[in-house]
Amino acid sequence: MKLKEARDAINTHVKDLIELCPHCGAKAHIEALWNECHKLRNNDVEFYVIFRCKPCRKLLLKTFFLRQNPYSGNEDLEIKGWTEIFPASLDDQLNKEEKEFIPSEILLDYQEALKCKAISANRAGCAMFRRSLQGALVNLGADPRLDLIKQIESLDNLPKDIKDWAHQIRIFGNWGAHPDKDNLKDIDSGDVAEAHDFTSKFLLYMFIMPEKVKLSREKRKKKTNSGTTGKAGGAEKDG
Ligand SMILES: [Zn+2]
């Protein structure tokens, strides 16, 4: 394929895609706005395509790669496809709005854990997820002298399923006694993914959902109040 053909194909066919938007966190319709390419030293070609997310209106950039046939003296490009997306989405579990409900100290540790996970710093990632979890537990009133699993056990309003899950997570046991005994020695990407999964669900259950319920209740109350004081006939009432 020639570069001109590739450009024509992108202009013709890359219009509307479905993508996990790094801003709003939803699988959303994104619309292509502009593209340009550059040639690498070895004649591979990289296209930069700017998209707008239809629901949240924010912009993102995706790169599209074509590889030059190394055995050909002529322009001979082979499609490799989409490679990167900017801004990178570090968290596929919680979106930005939801994170506003998490106390800032806990969120700081959680965000740092995400950055470690993104660069495969698995031990640091696990340690930071665990740290954010410990911060959350103490914030929720758990006894700071207890170990992590016992702190999780002590929460009355945490469902049994989540407590049982915590027991299955190897790196949550024996934390803090000694660097050799922190279970971080043989950590892999699966461990950090599970620590992320658990911590995000925990934060969702203990901090985000209660606030969402509260907001929803307030909204409903407001609506009911304006319904009773509003003009007769048009006002709706819910009970
Ligand atoms: Zn969006």
Side-chain angles (χ1 to χ4, degrees):
M1 176 185 258
K2 300 267 183 240
L3 178 56
K4 191 189 172 304
E5 292 171 274
R7 192 188 295 279
D8 288 348
I10 284 179
N11 286 333
T12 314
H13 299 299
V14 178
K15 292 252 180 276
D16 303 280
L17 301 181
I18 300 293
E19 179 69 61
L20 184 69
C21 173
H23 303 289
C24 60
K27 253 200 160 28
H29 172 191
I30 60 169
E31 180 185 28
L33 301 179
W34 176 89
N35 71 75
E36 191 49 274
C37 72
H38 72 102
K39 230 176 208 179
L40 281 72
R41 213 183 287 274
N42 61 1
N43 289 328
D44 289 352
V45 170
E46 187 173 41
F47 274 87
Y48 278 42
V49 187
I50 304 265
F51 292 87
R52 188 187 293 283
C53 170
K54 293 284 252 187
C56 78
R57 309 296 299 153
K58 290 184 180 163
L59 300 174
L60 51 126
L61 169 72
K62 278 167 72 79
T63 65
F64 192 88
F65 208 77
L66 297 109
R67 179 151 293 149
Q68 164 67 27
N69 179 353
Y71 305 107
S72 169
N74 301 319
E75 193 170 61
D76 180 13
L77 296 163
E78 183 199 352
I79 289 177
K80 285 288 159 196
W82 298 105
T83 48
E84 289 185 86
I85 177 164
F86 303 94
S89 177
L90 297 181
D91 200 353
D92 54 1
Q93 303 274 352
L94 303 176
N95 68 37
K96 262 186 189 168
E97 282 76 25
E98 288 172 331
K99 283 179 189 160
E100 287 173 16
F101 296 120
I102 302 171
S104 58
E105 283 301 305
I106 299 160
L107 184 60
L108 215 62
D109 289 341
Y110 180 78
Q111 301 279 52
E112 191 160 326
L114 290 172
K115 288 180 196 162
C116 296
K117 177 172 174 268
I119 57 165
S120 303
N122 295 329
R123 286 194 290 183
C126 280
M128 289 313 289
F129 279 127
R130 191 155 54 181
R131 189 185 147 99
S132 73
L133 195 54
Q134 283 181 307
L137 285 158
V138 171
N139 179 289
L140 292 164
D143 185 344
R145 288 164 304 178
L146 295 177
D147 70 34
L148 190 67
I149 298 286
K150 291 221 173 73
Q151 287 178 332
I152 293 171
E153 284 285 329
S154 75
L155 294 178
D156 292 333
N157 48 348
L158 190 67
K160 191 177 170 296
D161 286 344
I162 299 187
K163 289 183 182 177
D164 289 346
W165 185 14
H167 280 278
Q168 309 304 318
I169 300 177
R170 193 173 58 93
I171 61 140
F172 287 170
N174 297 330
W175 168 246
H178 192 272
D180 292 348
K181 293 197 174 120
D182 63 4
N183 282 344
L184 291 177
K185 219 167 158 184
D186 314 306
I187 288 297
D188 61 26
S189 58
D191 290 308
V192 72
E194 189 169 35
H196 177 205
D197 198 11
F198 182 89
T199 308
S200 63
K201 300 285 191 313
F202 183 91
L203 297 174
L204 179 70
Y205 201 87
M206 299 306 291
F207 292 102
I208 298 163
M209 295 227 305
E211 287 301 316
K212 279 194 173 176
V213 172
K214 209 165 95 189
L215 283 179
S216 165
R217 192 178 292 132
E218 278 165 11
K219 204 169 138 190
R220 183 166 141 172
K221 213 165 137 191
K222 234 182 197 165
K223 205 170 160 191
T224 310
N225 287 346
S226 70
T228 49
T229 54
K231 58 183 175 190
E236 74 174 83
K237 238 177 136 176
D238 57 6

